Amino acid sequence: MMMVQNQTQQITKSPAWKRILWMVAIYVGSVMALGVVATLFRFMMTAAGMKSH
């Protein structure tokens, strides 16, 4: 015989402003990381003799 236990779990949601703040922080962090990678590629290409003009 299998016993099935019904446990009530209460999931508490964080406030909306906290979730929005996390989304903004993740967005800003990803844009900054993309900028760093793009700058590194630009420095490497310039060091290899490539010019943008």
Side-chain angles (χ1 to χ4, degrees), residues 1-49:
M1 184 171 171
M2 183 185 296
M3 289 184 61
V4 178
Q5 296 178 353
N6 290 331
Q7 295 179 352
T8 307
Q9 293 182 351
Q10 190 176 21
I11 299 173
T12 56
K13 278 182 129 177
S14 58
W17 66 268
K18 209 178 247 190
R19 287 181 278 150
I20 292 172
L21 187 63
W22 270 109
M23 290 294 288
V24 169
I26 291 169
Y27 173 76
V28 169
S30 63
V31 169
M32 288 176 63
L34 181 61
V36 168
V37 171
T39 302
L40 288 174
F41 272 109
R42 185 173 177 186
F43 285 148
M44 287 188 297
M45 289 172 68
T46 302

